[in-house]
Amino acid sequence: MDDSQVQRILNNPKFQEMVSKKRRLSWTLTAIMLFVYVGFMLLVGYNKPFLASSFSGGITTWGIPLGLGIIVLSFILCGVYSYIANNTLDPLNKETLKEIEAIAHEKGAN
């Protein structure tokens, strides 16, 4: 594959759309997880009495459901990514690959 083919692939609107959507999705989900995790760490560092206080009047403290919530959120975000990737990004990826293959095979046809 020569430089002109690579440039045509990089300039392909479908390829640019696919890259843009994947980048936007991954950064959005990363930002959500980072915000929640850093918020929890700040809570641990600056408000230990709240985390040590009882959740329901018993022995369960607020730290336990919040910590479990972060773990559950990570699984939910993985599910969201999988759902969007399978239903939105995969069809776009297939269309993009068809166009890229056509560009890559043009040189051999000449």
Side-chain angles (χ1 to χ4, degrees):
M1 189 175 301
D2 61 13
D3 289 340
S4 66
Q5 287 175 315
V6 171
Q7 201 57 37
R8 285 183 59 203
I9 291 169
L10 293 176
N11 292 333
N12 183 293
K14 290 271 190 209
F15 180 77
Q16 289 179 349
E17 180 186 3
M18 179 190 66
V19 169
S20 173
K21 284 186 176 186
K22 282 185 178 183
R23 183 179 296 138
R24 191 175 332 119
L25 176 63
S26 62
W27 279 113
T28 300
L29 296 178
T30 298
I32 291 169
M33 194 66 222
L34 191 60
F35 177 77
V36 170
Y37 187 74
V38 168
F40 183 72
M41 290 295 103
L42 290 173
L43 194 59
V44 167
Y46 292 108
N47 201 353
K48 289 181 186 175
F50 169 72
L51 289 175
S53 66
S54 177
F55 172 67
S56 61
I59 59 171
T60 304
T61 64
W62 277 102
I64 293 171
L66 290 175
L68 289 173
I70 291 173
I71 294 169
V72 169
L73 178 66
S74 67
F75 281 101
I76 290 170
L77 291 179
C78 286
V80 166
Y81 179 82
S82 296
Y83 178 81
I84 293 173
N86 290 337
N87 294 315
T88 303
L89 299 177
D90 280 353
L92 183 59
N93 193 26
K94 286 179 184 176
E95 293 172 21
T96 304
L97 282 174
K98 286 179 186 177
E99 291 186 20
I100 289 173
E101 286 175 0
I103 292 171
H105 292 298
E106 279 181 13
K107 178 109 178 165
N110 291 337

